[in-house]
Amino acid sequence: MVNELLVMDVDGTQPTTLESFNKTIRRILSQGSIGVSVATGNSFRSLQGRLGYVPNVPMVLDNGGSICTIEGKNLVYHPIETYELNTLEFVLRQKGIEYAYFSSKASRVLYFYCTSLDMMNFIKKKYTIRRSQITPDPTFFLQQCTKYRTCQIAIKVTPGVRLSIPSVLNHSYSQHVSMYGIQNRGINKGVGVLKLKQILDIPQEEIVLAGDDYNDITMFEFVPAPVKIAVSQKSPELIELATHVIDSPEDLGPFLEKLFLESK
């Protein structure tokens, strides 16, 4: 029975040289009573394929908390509402967008929106998708979002660019990867962690959180966990909410070793 829970962001929080970190995660999971989940603003399957260093864990809070998966089964799914999607064409036509994409209920990337031929070729190679899955037409892209009842749209912008987002849209921004995430209103990583806590029936004093960027703030705000680890110092707002601050992702493994293993 799981009676403790570790929830970690991926990009910027977990180290990219992962063999020793993977060993730490496996040792934590081997305790049997500790649940481990990633909480990503991206598509988890896409991250595993694209980055190659994301560990296999039994629980995933996917697409900014829109999907909650345990042992491969989707237990929570919050699609973006049609009226929310109808406002997005204005956003997609703004300057500074490199590409946008959405994923399915199975967390597989389905369609990209992109207007640059060079970027289209880059996307095909990076994400190993067909050219027919990339469109320069924002209207068609949003029609596919509606058809597949997507739960999040990710919008990659040129570093330093900030978009004008209508107030009707629930969105987050990750400075680390210059990416916006658009979700169903009322959905975010913090809400996702609370739902996971409810499903697992874990007391709040047994939850540990780790994040590094602005889109992790809701986890730290909404969840009264006793341990909140800010990785790096890029987000002053996150640091203000943290109980512990470490300098880099490479320090996360040793910190978790002391917290979960050496104290046992």
Side-chain angles (χ1 to χ4, degrees), residues 21-74:
F21 186 68
N22 263 330
K23 288 179 180 177
T24 297
I25 297 303
R26 288 196 293 268
R27 288 182 62 200
I28 290 172
L29 287 169
S30 71
Q31 303 293 307
S33 62
I34 305 170
V36 178
S37 174
V38 297
T40 174
N42 290 289
S43 158
F44 181 66
R45 287 178 184 269
S46 170
L47 279 178
Q48 284 192 310
R50 175 167 57 89
L51 300 179
Y53 65 79
V54 184
N56 287 311
V57 293
M59 291 172 275
V60 177
L61 290 173
D62 212 341
N63 287 264
S66 301
I67 305 175
C68 177
T69 303
I70 297 180
E71 301 291 355
K73 295 181 179 180
N74 286 351

Side-chain angles (χ1 to χ4, degrees), residues 188-246:
N188 53 53
K189 286 188 181 183
V191 170
V193 175
L194 290 176
K195 186 63 179 179
L196 186 57
K197 167 188 176 299
Q198 179 185 357
I199 292 170
L200 298 173
D201 192 24
I202 291 178
Q204 62 193 36
E205 59 268 19
E206 300 298 339
I207 298 176
V208 174
L209 306 172
D212 77 304
D213 212 338
Y214 294 98
N215 65 346
D216 298 312
I217 288 175
T218 56
M219 283 203 303
F220 284 25
E221 277 184 332
F222 290 14
V223 185
V227 180
K228 303 176 183 182
I229 310 161
V231 180
S232 85
Q233 302 194 26
K234 73 180 71 166
S235 171
E237 295 93 336
L238 194 70
I239 290 173
E240 190 172 327
L241 296 166
T243 60
H244 300 76
V245 180
I246 59 178

